[in-house]
């Protein structure tokens, strides 16, 4: 691709090409004058042609940044359009520049930085909805509260001014036209001002009571998944650029990585449960994956003996340790609420290793797993979940979310609880006798430290 900057430099060089050029004089000779061949400036590209010459990833990034600064309100597809060119011109005019429709390097850098600040201000992140696996872009600072049940998830602001819902249901022989018609009528009183119905998705927007709404939905087989965004009209200037980004980020049925997971940390912390007095420890498989060394704080090195990839469980063992207090895994069958007992990442507790407890609500996802909300802090993955009777109900696991942001940022997480029965089956399959009799979860948890390359 020939950049506009390069083309400008070439044009500037070419404007003087018709002048005579004198060759350097060699001592003792007469100077020679050489008439150069006239060179015509290259034909200037149109803004659309310049955009066409960009890589697809560049165009996607450009459209996304323009949307974040409120200049572009189209689909973020990477396709060149008059709308995108006009958005560039408007951005240039607003910045006091010449509306050429092509950003110079300084303008492009300024746009990217402004968009990044906008994303940071709303806490933009790509997450996986735990009951369906759908991927959504969520403005975490605008909607910090999350609740999950078997029908999907809801993110809300503390006062309810902004709400994001992901709903899922089964429906016989769905079509996008049928789904769009149903959404127009439910809830009653919706006023529709925009409708798009395609074979593979539909979009509606308008007013719902005193709130503006945006709906995007699709289906696969008999599974219907719909994202709904509700926001007070007073928040329009803040939320509408985010809505565009959320619409483009929504992947109801992801078949592969989208933004890619955040790189694994060089040092990662989790929580382990001592399950036998001879050193067997249960923890999160992902926390202990690809480790050069695994250490149990206060006890030393541990070996990873077995894993369950389906449920992300790992079995560790430390040798020669004394004073272990294994947790009783008997009984327990929480249906709604649990206390999760773990050790938060040292960064979140000033380098300390204190054990703490947080409350969580459960929603069944499969026969063995339940969604856990709100997700506990980073470092809690592998923690025991304790039911209302003080008995072991399962193991809490954080699921790394897909994150748009610096590789060094702490990834947002969703959480699940693997049932006590599944845990006992895993230990039994690996010939581990869980001989704990204590119900003191705080005494039975240990910090797991993974060191990678």
């Amino acid at each position: 691709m020939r950049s506009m900057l390069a083309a400008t430099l070439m044009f500037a060089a070419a404007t003087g090409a018709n002048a005579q050029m004198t060759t350097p004089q060699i001592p003792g000779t007469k100077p020679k004058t050489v008439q150069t061949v006239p060179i015509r400036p290259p034909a200037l590209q149109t803004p659309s042609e310049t955009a066409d010459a960009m890589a697809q990833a560049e165009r996607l990034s450009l459209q996304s940044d323009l949307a974040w600064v409120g200049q572009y309100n189209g689909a973020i597809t990477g396709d060149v359009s008059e709308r995108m060119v006009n958005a560039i011109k408007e951005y240039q005019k607003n910045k006091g520049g010449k509306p050429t429709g092509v950003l110079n390097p300084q303008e492009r850098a300024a746009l990217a930085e402004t968009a990044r600040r906008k994303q940071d201000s709303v806490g933009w992140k790509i997450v996986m909805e735990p009951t369906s696996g759908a991927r959504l872009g969520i403005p975490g600072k605008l909607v910090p509260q999350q609740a999950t049940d078997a029908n999907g998830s809801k993110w809300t602001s503390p006062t309810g001014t902004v709400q994001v819902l992901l709903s899922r249901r089964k429906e016989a022989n769905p079509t996008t036209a049928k789904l769009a018609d149903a959404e127009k009528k439910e809830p009653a009183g919706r006023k529709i001002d925009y409708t798009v119905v395609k074979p593979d998705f539909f979009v509606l927007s308008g007013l719902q009571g005193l709130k503006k709404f945006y709906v995007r939905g699709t289906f696969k087989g008999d599974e219907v998944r719909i994202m709904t965004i509700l926001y007070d009209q007073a928040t329009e200037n803040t939320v509408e650029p985010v809505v565009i980004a959320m619409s483009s980020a929504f992947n109801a049925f992801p078949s592969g990585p989208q933004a890619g997971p955040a790189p694994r940390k060089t040092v990662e912390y989790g929580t382990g449960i001592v399950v036998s007095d001879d050193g067997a420890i249960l923890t999160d498989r992902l926390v202990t994956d690809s480790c050069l060394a695994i250490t149990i704080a206060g006890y030393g090195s541990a070996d990873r003996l077995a894993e369950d990839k389906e449920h992300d469980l790992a079995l560790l063992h430390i040798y020669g340790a004394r004073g272990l207090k294994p947790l009783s895994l008997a009984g327990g069958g929480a249906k709604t609420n649990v206390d999760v007992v773990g050790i938060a990442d040292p960064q979140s507790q000033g380098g300390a290793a204190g054990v703490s407890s947080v409350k969580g609500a459960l929603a069944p996802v499969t026969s063995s797993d339940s969604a856990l909300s709100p997700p506990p802090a980073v470092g809690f993955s592998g923690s025991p979940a304790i039911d209302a009777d003080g008995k072991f109900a399962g193991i809490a696991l954080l699921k790394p979310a897909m994150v748009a942001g610096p590789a060094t940022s702490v990834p947002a997480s969703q959480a699940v609880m693997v049932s006590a029965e599944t845990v006992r089956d895993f230990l039994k399959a690996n010939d581990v006798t869980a001989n704990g009799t204590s119900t003191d979860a705080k005494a039975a948890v240990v910090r797991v430290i993974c060191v990678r390359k």
Side-chain angles (χ1 to χ4, degrees):
M1 180 188 75
R2 178 183 298 165
S3 70
M4 181 55 69
L5 178 61
T8 303
L9 292 174
M10 289 176 64
F11 176 75
T15 55
N18 287 330
Q20 288 186 339
M21 183 165 60
T22 303
T23 58
Q25 183 178 356
I26 300 174
T29 65
K30 294 182 179 180
K32 293 182 180 180
T33 300
V34 179
Q35 186 72 31
T36 59
V37 178
I39 300 176
R40 296 185 181 277
L44 294 176
Q45 292 181 323
T46 67
S48 293
E49 288 171 337
T50 301
D52 273 328
M54 293 179 179
Q56 174 79 356
E58 288 183 73
R59 293 197 297 268
L60 283 167
S61 177
L62 177 57
Q63 287 177 344
S64 175
D65 289 349
L66 287 166
W68 275 102
V69 300
Q71 296 297 342
Y72 180 75
N73 61 359
I76 302 174
T77 61
D79 297 334
V80 179
S81 66
E82 183 179 355
R83 179 179 290 181
M84 184 181 87
V85 173
N86 288 339
I88 294 171
K89 291 179 178 179
E90 282 300 311
Y91 173 77
Q92 291 173 315
K93 283 198 296 185
N94 290 344
K95 292 297 181 181
K98 186 176 180 181
T100 63
V102 177
L103 296 174
N104 63 38
Q106 292 77 20
E107 290 173 326
R108 182 66 186 95
L111 171 62
E113 176 60 20
T114 302
R116 185 193 65 78
R117 290 199 301 267
K118 295 272 189 180
Q119 291 177 359
D120 289 348
S121 70
V122 299
W124 178 251
K125 58 188 177 183
I126 304 297
V127 305
M128 180 189 73
E129 197 282 318
T131 71
S132 65
R135 290 184 181 139
L136 301 88
I138 295 293
K141 291 181 181 178
L142 297 182
V143 286
Q145 299 175 352
Q146 181 191 347
T148 298
D149 60 26
N151 299 314
S153 294
K154 181 178 182 179
W155 295 261
T156 62
S157 62
T159 58
T161 54
V162 184
Q163 302 172 30
V164 180
L165 302 90
L166 187 284
S167 62
R168 58 192 293 250
R169 66 176 185 265
K170 298 289 185 180
E171 188 168 313
N173 303 315
T175 67
T176 51
K178 289 181 184 177
L179 296 175
D181 285 341
E183 289 296 317
K184 289 177 181 179
K185 302 170 187 175
E186 182 64 36
R190 271 185 172 173
K191 296 180 180 179
I192 310 297
D193 59 23
Y194 179 78
T195 303
V196 172
V197 179
K198 300 287 187 181
D200 54 343
F201 74 95
F202 73 92
V203 169
L204 303 173
S205 68
L207 280 175
Q208 181 174 316
L210 298 177
K211 291 184 181 292
K212 299 194 76 171
F213 78 89
Y214 179 96
V215 173
R216 185 180 180 108
T218 187
F219 69 94
K220 186 174 183 179
D222 64 353
E223 173 89 354
V224 175
R225 296 180 182 175
I226 296 175
M227 177 182 69
T228 303
I229 307 165
L230 295 164
Y231 53 100
D232 286 6
Q233 296 178 64
T235 66
E236 185 174 341
N237 290 339
T238 299
V239 176
E240 286 206 343
V242 185
V243 170
I244 297 168
M246 292 177 70
S247 178
S248 294
F250 180 45
N251 189 339
F253 297 95
S255 57
Q258 301 299 305
R264 303 305 300 271
K265 295 180 180 179
T266 303
V267 179
E268 187 167 3
Y269 298 88
T271 298
I273 310 167
V274 177
V275 295
S276 72
D277 55 13
D278 64 352
I281 295 172
L282 182 70
T283 191
D284 180 0
R285 182 184 71 87
L286 296 178
V287 167
T288 59
D289 199 29
S290 304
C291 305
L292 290 177
I294 300 173
T295 301
I296 305 302
Y299 293 97
S301 298
D303 293 334
R304 192 167 87 156
L305 303 183
E307 63 178 22
D308 177 347
K309 290 186 177 181
E310 180 181 356
H311 300 103
D312 284 332
L313 303 177
L315 175 63
L316 309 181
H317 200 279
I318 51 177
Y319 298 92
R322 296 182 179 180
L324 296 174
K325 298 178 180 179
L327 182 67
S328 171
L329 305 185
K335 302 296 183 183
T336 55
N337 300 294
V338 291
D339 288 325
V340 181
V341 180
I343 307 172
D345 187 291
Q347 290 186 1
S348 65
Q349 50 173 321
V355 179
S356 57
S357 174
V358 295
K359 295 188 179 298
L362 300 177
V365 178
T366 67
S367 59
S368 61
D369 292 358
S370 297
L372 176 64
S373 62
V378 174
F380 267 71
S381 203
S383 298
I386 307 301
D387 68 12
D389 296 324
K391 296 181 178 180
F392 177 72
I395 181 170
L397 304 177
L398 296 176
K399 299 296 184 180
M402 311 306 290
V403 177
T408 55
S409 62
V410 176
S413 300
Q414 307 296 321
V416 300
M417 186 195 77
V418 179
S419 71
E421 184 178 2
T422 300
V423 168
R424 289 190 290 264
D425 288 345
F426 171 62
L427 295 175
K428 183 178 179 181
N430 289 282
D431 299 321
V432 174
T433 300
N435 56 11
T437 57
S438 172
T439 57
D440 185 358
K442 289 189 175 182
V445 296
V446 292
R447 171 174 277 170
V448 178
I449 307 169
C450 167
V451 178
R452 300 187 178 92
K453 289 183 179 180

